[in-house]
Amino acid sequence: MTIHGTGCCLIDYLYSNVDFFSPEFLSARSCQEGDGGLTPGKLIFAEEFERFMGKPYQQDLELLTKGVPPNRYNLGGPAVVSLAHTAQMLTDPKYQVVFYGVCGNDDTAILIKDAIARIPFKAVYLKEKPGQTPRTDVLSDPTYDNGHGERTFINLLGVAAFFIPDDLPEDFFNADIITFGGTALLPNMHNRLTELLKESKHRGSLTFVNLVYDFQNELQHPGKKWTIGNSDDAYPYIDILVADREEALKTSGTSTMSEAISYFLNRGTGAVVITEGAKQIHIGAIRPRNIPYRTMPVCEAVNQELIEHPERRGDTTGCGDNFAGGLLANVAEQLETSSLMKKQDYDLEEACVWANAAGGFTCFVIGGTYYENKRGEKRERILSYVSSYREQLKRSNIGDQL
């Protein structure tokens, strides 16, 4: 069982004590939406911020942080984080998870390579290009909003802006499952996603797409519907689509979860799963089995543990990406038998049980990527949440069949 994936992979640098009311920050604040200035709680691109400020981005960053280095860094990105979880959950050697990405030739590239080396991937192919490795500088002010705290994000596309389908080797398409994560942060990949998905289906692969907020699309067409693929024609080649609430509504151009799912399914997507933070998830499918629109709750055991043991709390970074990884890993386990792989037949609701547990577990981790001390450690820790969630579903008469 081979799983190949590509998409967003970067390093998150956290600066934890930036004063959002300092003269430096106030001079960099946005005056109107889309102008490239900083806004607490939102993400902008370093390239846009540089134009807004009128000087090199690195100079501005040093002023905002007063030259203090980041407090920590994390491996991030919807593609690599979800695949990392998938690799950690599939402990049997018969599962081979391979990541294909891009990096620059700077110090951040070294950090990415070191971090990825701690994940049990079968192989990793990083296309090295001259330039800066993708990263996100996360500026955090813990005193903002009367002590509730807030963050603002500056994303540097770097060489991700030049990562193209031709950079993927031929072997990329030789897989049972092919996944694309956060391609909106790799513009050339995102615009040509239809042809990548089409080739994947032509080779007989099951295709999996994990969306990310499409900042580029929103910047270029404020308030307009986002597209997937150059002509919004990728849907018939997507077997499983995962998105959060905002991504789903903006990509479908609809106003409710049920409408969004209908939009995707009516255009040929096989199955859709939409997350909604700590509230619930929304699902629907037309293949391999018809599942009318419905909701599933989140894991109560996680919420209860967060209340009773606040000292165990991590942050919510990467919860959605690990959710996607949990879904992908369980689908792979279900498809492992040759008869099911041939039919690409799986139980979406069963996969959502494992996805819910994965997303919930990430609330106890700082940063989206969990690093194991021993092989199988993460799977062992998640099993209790899987069991608790099954019991929760049975109590609510939702999951008697699970």
Side-chain angles (χ1 to χ4, degrees):
M1 169 62 66
T2 54
I3 303 169
H4 292 178
T6 189
C8 182
C9 173
L10 46 74
I11 288 289
D12 292 322
Y13 288 105
L14 177 63
Y15 298 85
S16 62
N17 288 290
V18 177
D19 183 359
F20 286 3
F21 291 101
S22 69
E24 293 81 7
F25 192 94
L26 291 175
S27 68
R29 283 204 62 158
S30 172
C31 301
Q32 60 183 26
E33 190 170 351
D35 62 8
L38 299 178
T39 301
K42 294 190 176 182
L43 181 146
I44 60 169
F45 289 104
E47 294 82 0
E48 296 294 325
F49 184 57
E50 191 172 78
R51 283 192 282 272
F52 176 81
M53 296 297 290
K55 55 180 178 290
Y57 169 63
Q58 198 61 37
Q59 291 183 19
D60 293 317
L61 180 63
E62 290 177 5
L63 286 173
L64 290 166
T65 61
K66 302 187 184 301
V68 176
N71 301 82
R72 67 172 186 266
Y73 64 87
N74 299 312
L75 179 66
V80 74
V81 172
S82 61
L83 278 172
H85 177 80
T86 300
Q88 290 168 331
M89 296 299 287
L90 301 177
T91 57
D92 193 305
K94 64 189 173 187
Y95 298 101
Q96 300 183 0
V97 182
V98 183
F99 176 68
Y100 298 78
V102 64
C103 69
N105 54 359
D106 55 1
D107 291 342
T108 301
I110 297 173
L111 296 181
I112 279 185
K113 291 174 183 178
D114 288 345
I116 287 179
R118 300 171 63 185
I119 306 298
F121 289 124
K122 175 66 176 178
V124 174
Y125 296 95
L126 287 178
K127 179 73 174 182
E128 187 171 304
K129 292 177 177 280
Q132 293 181 292
T133 300
R135 77 174 197 256
T136 300
D137 293 316
V138 184
L139 311 182
S140 177
D141 182 351
T143 67
Y144 190 79
D145 190 20
N146 297 316
H148 290 94
E150 186 56 276
R151 297 180 294 176
T152 191
F153 309 85
I154 309 173
N155 178 262
L156 179 72
L157 282 176
V159 296
F162 310 107
F163 191 43
I164 61 176
D166 291 344
D167 289 326
L168 295 171
E170 177 67 19
D171 188 59
F172 173 77
F173 295 101
N174 296 326
D176 297 304
I177 301 175
I178 295 182
T179 175
F180 300 89
T183 54
L185 292 175
L186 296 93
N188 288 300
M189 287 290 187
H190 195 62
N191 290 339
R192 295 173 62 184
L193 189 57
T194 300
E195 66 183 80
L196 291 168
L197 288 162
K198 194 172 183 179
E199 180 63 21
S200 301
K201 293 306 300 177
H202 176 72
R203 302 288 188 95
S205 303
L206 181 138
T207 56
F208 188 100
V209 173
N210 179 21
L211 296 183
V212 70
Y213 191 96
D214 194 342
F215 299 97
Q216 290 274 23
N217 215 321
E218 187 64 25
L219 182 66
Q220 295 170 7
H221 310 286
K224 303 295 184 181
K225 178 186 173 303
W226 301 342
T227 59
I228 296 182
N230 194 38
S231 303
D232 212 22
D233 54 357
Y235 299 109
Y237 310 106
I238 302 174
D239 289 310
I240 303 175
L241 178 67
V242 180
D244 69 16
R245 177 185 177 86
E246 189 169 19
E247 293 157 3
L249 295 180
K250 292 291 291 185
T251 304
S252 65
T254 60
S255 57
T256 68
M257 295 293 94
S258 60
E259 290 174 336
I261 287 180
S262 293
Y263 175 90
F264 297 130
L265 296 181
N266 288 339
R267 280 153 185 78
T269 303
V272 182
V273 180
I274 302 174
T275 61
E276 196 175 7
K279 296 180 180 179
Q280 58 189 346
I281 67 170
H282 307 256
I283 68 173
I286 56 173
R287 64 175 190 271
R289 307 172 188 180
N290 183 59
I291 300 176
Y293 166 76
R294 56 163 293 191
T295 62
M296 295 177 69
V298 296
C299 182
E300 289 177 354
V302 169
N303 291 334
Q304 192 63 31
E305 188 172 341
L306 289 171
I307 294 171
E308 295 177 357
H309 299 281
E311 73 281 1
R312 299 178 188 171
R313 182 185 298 270
D315 59 32
T316 58
T317 303
C319 285
D321 300 334
N322 278 272
F323 178 98
L327 192 76
L328 176 60
N330 185 258
V331 167
E333 285 189 297
Q334 292 187 49
L335 295 181
E336 193 275 324
T337 63
S338 59
S339 61
L340 290 180
M341 186 62 235
K342 187 175 181 180
K343 299 177 183 177
Q344 294 190 346
D345 187 16
Y346 63 90
D347 184 337
L348 180 64
E349 291 161 303
E350 168 66 11
C352 285
V353 170
W354 289 83
N356 256 300
F361 173 79
T362 310
C363 293
F364 305 106
V365 179
I366 299 293
T369 304
Y370 180 86
Y371 298 105
E372 297 177 307
N373 293 311
K374 62 177 183 177
R375 190 76 173 98
E377 174 189 338
K378 190 177 186 182
R379 185 181 180 95
E380 290 177 10
R381 294 190 62 180
I382 283 178
L383 283 175
S384 63
Y385 299 108
V386 172
S387 298
S388 296
Y389 187 61
R390 289 191 195 283
E391 290 301 315
Q392 175 188 341
L393 294 179
K394 288 179 180 178
R395 289 196 303 272
S396 59
N397 297 319
I398 293 177
D400 292 332
Q401 75 279 15
L402 298 176

